[in-house]
């Protein structure tokens, strides 16, 4: 069973990293911002998966590194990924001030994620334990995500429908 876990995780991480490089190369060639944001989103997801989930399967101990480098940002990874994905959606759907409701919602939802992306490492270094705060913020994030999906669905373009079906 362990061999299957190792094989599955290696294939999964390989596909993740391939997609990161694929979208980054596309960004270099085409110069579209949404490709850059999407590759950063995939990179943050792959990094989180490798460091916090699959390291146990590969029997790699990140314990000294985790406590010194990655512990401050462990709770921020969800906000990092949401920040990059919102940036991707905004660029991909060309949400601009011309569409005020989606634009304002995505703008402030990105700020919301940026605040907590920075707040959790600061609180960690200040010595403040944050699991309860993280649970409350995570619960508050769900209605905002649902609201974002509903508002973006109202744009009624083919791209928005495809993107939101993939997001849901």
């Amino acid at each position: 069973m362990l061999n299957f876990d190792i094989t599955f995780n290696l294939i999964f991480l390989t596909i993740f990293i391939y997609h990161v490089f694929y979208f980054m190369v596309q960004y270099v060639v085409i110069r579209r911002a949404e490709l850059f944001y999407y590759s950063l989103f995939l990179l943050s997801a792959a990094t989180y998966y490798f460091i916090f989930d699959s390291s146990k399967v590969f029997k790699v101990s990140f314990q000294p590194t985790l406590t010194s480098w990655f512990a401050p940002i462990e709770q921020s990874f969800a906000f990092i990924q949401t920040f990059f994905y919102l940036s991707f959606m905004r660029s991909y759907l060309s949400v601009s001030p011309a569409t005020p409701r989606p634009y304002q919602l995505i703008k402030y939802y990105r700020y919301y994620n940026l605040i907590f992306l920075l707040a959790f490492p600061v609180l960690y270094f200040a010595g403040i334990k944050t699991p309860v705060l993280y649970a409350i913020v995570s619960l508050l994030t769900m209605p905002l995500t649902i609201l974002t999906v509903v508002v973006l669905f109202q744009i009624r373009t083919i791209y928005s429908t495809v993107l939101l079906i993939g997001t849901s």
Side-chain angles (χ1 to χ4, degrees):
M1 188 65 176
L2 184 61
N3 287 335
F4 173 76
D5 289 344
I6 291 173
T7 304
F8 176 78
N9 282 304
L10 280 174
I11 291 171
F12 187 72
L13 283 171
T14 302
I15 292 169
F16 246 132
I17 299 302
Y18 166 77
H19 278 95
V20 169
F21 287 122
Y22 175 75
F23 284 106
M24 196 57 81
V25 167
Q26 278 190 340
Y27 167 71
V28 168
V29 172
I30 301 173
R31 292 283 183 208
R32 294 197 47 150
E34 63 264 15
L35 298 170
F36 179 70
Y37 291 130
Y38 195 68
S39 65
L40 289 177
F41 162 72
L42 289 173
L43 181 64
S44 64
T47 303
Y48 180 83
Y49 182 76
F50 179 69
I51 292 173
F52 296 108
D53 284 342
S54 66
S55 62
K56 294 172 243 155
V57 174
F58 295 132
K59 296 189 178 178
V60 177
S61 175
F62 284 111
Q63 202 57 32
T65 308
L66 280 175
T67 54
S68 61
W69 290 0
F70 293 110
I73 60 170
E74 180 178 8
Q75 292 178 329
S76 294
F77 262 100
F79 299 104
I80 292 169
Q81 292 174 23
T82 305
F83 180 80
F84 286 137
Y85 198 74
L86 286 169
S87 300
F88 160 71
M89 284 194 318
R90 189 184 71 182
S91 294
Y92 185 70
L93 296 176
S94 300
V95 175
S96 65
T99 54
R101 191 170 169 195
Y103 178 77
Q104 293 296 328
L105 180 65
I106 288 178
K107 179 176 131 182
Y108 290 120
Y109 192 27
R110 283 181 66 219
Y111 289 151
Y112 170 86
N113 282 287
L114 188 62
I115 287 168
F116 290 111
L117 183 143
L118 299 172
F120 283 111
V122 168
L123 292 172
Y124 176 84
F125 286 121
I128 300 170
K129 302 288 184 196
T130 57
V132 173
L133 176 64
Y134 180 74
I136 292 169
V137 169
S138 296
L139 285 174
L140 291 174
T141 301
M142 183 55 73
L144 288 172
T145 303
I146 292 170
L147 179 65
T148 304
V149 168
V150 168
V151 167
L152 288 176
F153 188 73
Q154 293 174 351
I155 293 176
R156 301 264 185 224
T157 65
I158 294 170
Y159 294 131
S160 68
T161 305
V162 169
L163 185 68
L164 295 174
I165 288 172
T167 302
S168 301

